[in-house]
Amino acid sequence: MYFCYHSSPLGTLRLAGTDQALHQLFFPNAFAVGEAPDDWTYQEEPFTAARQQLDAYFAGKLKHFELNLAPSGTPFQRDVLKALQQIPYGETRAYSDIATSIARPKAVRAVGAANGRNPIAIIIPCHRVIGRNGSLTGFGGGLKAKQSLLNLEANHC
């Protein structure tokens, strides 16, 4: 597994993956869950496309990422992550909307938990999921970062 760090308006992001796919993108405060394992290798080359696309996204020039992704998770979690990728740029959905879209309308809390475990933040847009009443809810990067991402997209629709 390779990893690198990338500067963003939200702070330094950590990307991890292989030559074939991106497996993780974590916010700075998520580093507290652990530093990169000793058997990972620091290398920027596998993440050139991801870093370029992130820069374009933060500049308001990219609305859809075109990257090979390999998020970990249970089948249910992966279904939620796929549903998140269907939320259009600049739009939001409620957790109940995601639950309904994966044919599990009563699994709203489980959807929230899966959303919170998204291993590829920003690119799999978990920030686009909000409370049914329009309130911002928990976010791995913090609510300030979530609001920043939503504002960025609203300003470039």
Side-chain angles (χ1 to χ4, degrees):
M1 184 81 81
Y2 298 111
F3 76 101
C4 76
Y5 298 103
H6 187 67
S7 294
S8 82
L10 302 176
T12 302
L13 306 172
R14 185 175 75 195
L15 293 83
T18 64
D19 288 331
Q20 290 79 38
L22 181 67
H23 291 239
Q24 299 177 353
L25 188 156
F26 286 118
F27 289 100
N29 59 348
F31 295 157
V33 299
E35 292 300 317
D38 290 337
D39 60 344
W40 287 14
T41 302
Y42 186 89
Q43 184 139 350
E44 294 180 357
E45 179 64 29
F47 309 104
T48 300
R51 292 171 38 230
Q52 289 171 343
Q53 289 183 39
L54 283 165
D55 289 344
Y57 170 81
F58 284 116
K61 297 177 180 176
L62 180 81
K63 296 182 180 181
H64 181 75
F65 290 92
E66 295 289 337
L67 298 167
N68 291 328
L69 305 178
S72 61
T74 66
F76 176 82
Q77 290 168 336
R78 288 192 306 270
D79 286 346
V80 170
L81 297 177
K82 286 178 191 171
L84 298 178
Q85 293 176 18
Q86 301 308 307
I87 304 171
Y89 181 95
E91 294 185 21
T92 59
R93 299 289 185 271
Y95 293 96
S96 58
D97 296 330
I98 302 302
T100 299
S101 77
I102 63 168
R104 300 281 302 272
K106 295 184 180 188
V108 176
R109 287 183 187 218
V111 165
N115 194 61
R117 288 188 177 95
N118 176 9
I120 307 176
I122 304 169
I123 294 170
I124 297 179
C126 54
H127 59 278
R128 295 180 188 154
V129 183
I130 60 174
R132 171 55 81 197
N133 64 0
S135 65
L136 297 187
T137 55
F139 185 63
L143 292 181
K144 184 178 177 183
K146 184 172 190 166
Q147 186 65 64
S148 293
L149 292 168
L150 293 173
N151 290 344
L152 169 78
E153 293 184 10
N155 292 332
H156 292 95
C157 276

